Amino acid sequence: MAPLQRRLSGAPPTMEDVARVAGVSHQTVSRVLNEHPNVSQATRERVSAAIGELGYRRNAAARSLVTRSSKVIGVIITELEQYGPASTLLGLQEAAFREGYFVSVAGLRELSPDAMLESVNHLLNQAPDGIVVVAPVQAGVDLFRDLQLTIPLEVVAGGLAPEGSQEQAARTAVAHLADLGHRSIAHLAGPEQWIDAQRRASGWRAELEARGLAAAPPMTGDWGAESGYRNGLEFDADAHTAVFVANDQMALGFMRALHERGISVPGDISVMGVDDQPEAAYFLPPLTTIRQDFRSMGRYCIDRLLLQIAGSAAGAGGESGGTAGGTPEELPAPELMVRSSTAPPGQ
């Protein structure tokens, strides 16, 4: 309790206080804090003990004046109530924290140019070292990429990068259904303007074409379970034996509608989704889906941004960041999770 009481009883402890308790100069404390190699282990331990006793915290504002780095990364993201964006944000925060950065989030409720520019200005007021944008629609990608900023900007088109992963996820889903023997595979797509929805629909068509199968006009939803339910009520179950749904939430609503209509899953219709949200294994029946590593996506985005930050710092004669000279880790491929909602036709 002593360190807590000391913090609450007066002004916050300073570097000079740490130096006095540790019996060293404040320059030595600075070297320890900045992980300078020319400090003995015994001195380092003494300073660390003093820091712990006093509850000392570095003055971020003062440090930023010296290093010209706020250690803040701005993130612009939308649809945080959805599993994919929320998981991506968690990965972003974890990766940033690992590299010593704080994440400031601007969540978009609408995708208008005014709202996007407002989010950028909000973050710029916090003097971030860089900004990551997860833009779900092409208009947002174009707008952000056209911005002339003086700090690094990493724009990710859609919920998962690099390009091609969403098509691969869809093709894996359709291949699974076709390998079970399905020849008429419908698609419930996400919102038409969304990049991920476009890519998944493109992958669905490409895999059908590669197998010589026809593609009927897709249904369209809004990523939510209610839109899946509405489409399920109108679905022509006589024309198809399987449905590839663009995300798990719509698949949940779709299967509920089929159940109410007396249509068996997978006996009459096989259904599969995308994302593998935690609840997917507990749908009734458990949902066959495509697992995507959104948290790795967050790390991927941060690593790409830090490479830009490191390059900017090196060009300005400053200190480089933690991933300087490296490359982001390769993202895991989408993974097929086979459960009980898919089966050969008529089983």
Side-chain angles (χ1 to χ4, degrees), residues 21-324:
V21 171
V24 299
S25 68
H26 75 274
Q27 291 91 341
T28 298
V29 175
S30 178
R31 292 190 186 100
V32 171
L33 290 172
N34 289 297
E35 301 182 353
H36 196 282
N38 296 333
V39 180
S40 70
Q41 184 61 30
T43 299
R44 196 179 301 277
E45 291 174 358
R46 210 160 61 243
V47 171
S48 296
I51 288 172
E53 178 186 346
L54 294 172
Y56 172 74
R57 295 291 182 269
R58 303 182 75 174
N59 187 321
R63 183 176 184 274
S64 68
L65 291 174
V66 176
T67 63
R68 296 185 180 181
S69 169
S70 65
K71 304 302 286 186
V72 171
I73 288 175
V75 174
I76 298 173
I77 194 167
T78 189
E79 294 294 323
L80 281 173
E81 66 273 17
Q82 297 291 338
Y83 173 70
S87 299
T88 300
L89 178 59
L90 181 60
L92 285 162
Q93 291 174 318
E94 289 175 343
F97 183 76
R98 178 193 67 202
E99 298 291 342
Y101 285 83
F102 172 79
V103 170
S104 180
V105 181
L108 286 177
R109 278 291 179 182
E110 56 179 287
L111 300 176
S112 68
D114 287 345
M116 294 177 189
L117 291 175
E118 182 181 359
S119 67
V120 171
N121 288 327
H122 170 75
L123 292 176
L124 290 178
N125 288 335
Q126 302 174 48
D129 292 344
I131 295 176
V132 173
V133 178
V134 182
V137 299
Q138 191 61 47
V141 173
D142 296 340
L143 183 148
F144 285 115
R145 285 181 175 166
D146 288 342
L147 290 177
Q148 300 297 315
L149 300 182
T150 58
I151 60 173
L153 176 69
E154 180 65 27
V155 181
V156 180
L160 197 64
E163 292 186 10
S165 58
Q166 297 304 314
E167 288 90 342
Q168 182 183 356
R171 295 195 68 155
T172 299
V174 175
H176 167 69
L177 294 170
D179 289 344
L180 288 173
H182 295 281
R183 294 295 174 263
S184 182
I185 302 170
H187 181 42
L188 172 51
E192 293 178 354
Q193 72 273 25
W194 281 62
I195 296 169
D196 284 350
Q198 295 167 7
R199 290 175 177 173
R200 292 173 193 177
S202 176
W204 163 73
R205 290 190 187 91
E207 188 63 25
L208 289 178
E209 182 179 349
R211 292 172 176 264
L213 302 177
M219 302 168 280
T220 303
D222 63 7
W223 298 126
E226 183 180 354
S227 70
Y229 176 78
R230 291 195 306 267
N231 276 281
L233 292 177
E234 299 175 0
F235 174 67
D236 185 356
D238 294 327
H240 309 281
T241 61
V243 182
F244 164 52
V245 185
N247 77 336
D248 292 349
Q249 280 297 103
M250 291 194 298
L252 172 63
F254 193 88
M255 290 196 299
R256 167 66 183 271
L258 295 185
H259 173 75
E260 290 184 359
R261 293 173 58 189
I263 298 171
S264 170
V265 176
D268 299 317
I269 301 290
S270 284
V271 178
M272 71 175 302
V274 178
D275 286 346
D276 193 30
Q277 65 181 65
E279 298 84 0
Y282 302 96
F283 289 0
L284 189 63
L287 183 67
T288 298
T289 186
I290 303 295
R291 173 177 291 173
Q292 305 202 85
D293 196 338
F294 291 104
R295 292 173 75 167
S296 289
M297 175 60 209
R299 294 193 295 270
Y300 176 89
C301 293
I302 290 295
D303 287 346
R304 285 179 60 94
L305 181 68
L306 290 180
L307 287 173
Q308 291 193 54
I309 292 173
S312 297
E319 297 180 1
S320 62
T323 57

